[in-house]
């Protein structure tokens, strides 16, 4: 995966004024990790361009490359909902990536 954060914005700029933080952990089914990574490579630039996305990071575990960690900061709940309704989310995540997963966990946080 190439770029990880929203372009031309520092972390301090991204987190100012708070927002809705989503932390997700995925684990690909056996033999599917590279396919998931390729899907995320196509998805990430689209997600980073969303109006309400303040910060969007996706990492792949070094010790177990089938594991992925998402760190997503949205302006608010409405921006997160718009993200889930976007064409790129429906195509890449719901349509292509989720069927390749053995595990998916997600939690929401408010920045302090």
């Amino acid at each position: 995966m190439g770029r990880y954060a929203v372009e031309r914005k520092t972390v301090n700029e991204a987190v100012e004024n708070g927002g809705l933080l989503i932390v997700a952990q995925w684990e690909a089914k056996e033999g599917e990790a590279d396919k998931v990574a390729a899907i995320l490579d196509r998805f990430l630039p689209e997600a980073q361009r969303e109006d309400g996305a303040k910060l969007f990071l996706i990492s792949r575990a070094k010790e177990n490359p089938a594991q992925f960690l998402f760190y997503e900061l949205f302006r608010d709940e409405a921006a997160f909902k718009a993200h889930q309704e976007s064409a790129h989310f429906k195509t890449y995540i719901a349509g292509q990536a989720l069927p390749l997963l053995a595990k998916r966990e997600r939690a929401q946080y408010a920045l302090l």
Side-chain angles (χ1 to χ4, degrees):
M1 281 173 260
R3 301 174 309 139
Y4 295 102
V6 177
E7 287 187 55
R8 294 184 280 288
K9 189 180 290 187
T10 67
V11 172
N12 283 342
E13 291 169 333
V15 299
E16 70 185 5
N17 300 319
L20 176 66
L21 177 65
I22 308 296
V23 178
Q25 295 181 24
W26 287 9
E27 186 164 341
K29 292 177 182 174
E30 190 169 331
E32 303 291 3
D34 288 339
K35 289 180 190 173
V36 171
I39 292 165
L40 294 175
D41 274 340
R42 294 189 300 274
F43 166 76
L44 185 58
E46 298 291 327
Q48 291 174 332
R49 283 194 282 274
E50 293 176 28
D51 253 358
K54 297 174 73 174
L55 185 68
F56 209 106
L57 308 168
I58 302 175
S59 302
R60 191 171 184 183
K62 287 184 171 189
E63 291 184 19
N64 180 354
Q67 294 177 337
F68 298 86
L69 177 70
F70 294 68
Y71 193 86
E72 311 165 9
L73 180 60
F74 294 94
R75 180 181 54 240
D76 52 27
E77 186 74 38
F80 177 57
K81 183 171 174 51
H83 166 70
Q84 292 180 301
E85 294 297 322
S86 69
H88 53 272
F89 182 91
K90 289 179 179 180
T91 298
Y92 294 123
I93 302 303
Q96 297 177 16
L98 293 184
L100 304 177
L101 300 182
K103 180 179 173 185
R104 179 185 185 211
E105 296 177 357
R106 184 172 57 188
Q108 296 184 13
Y109 302 86
L111 288 183
L112 301 176

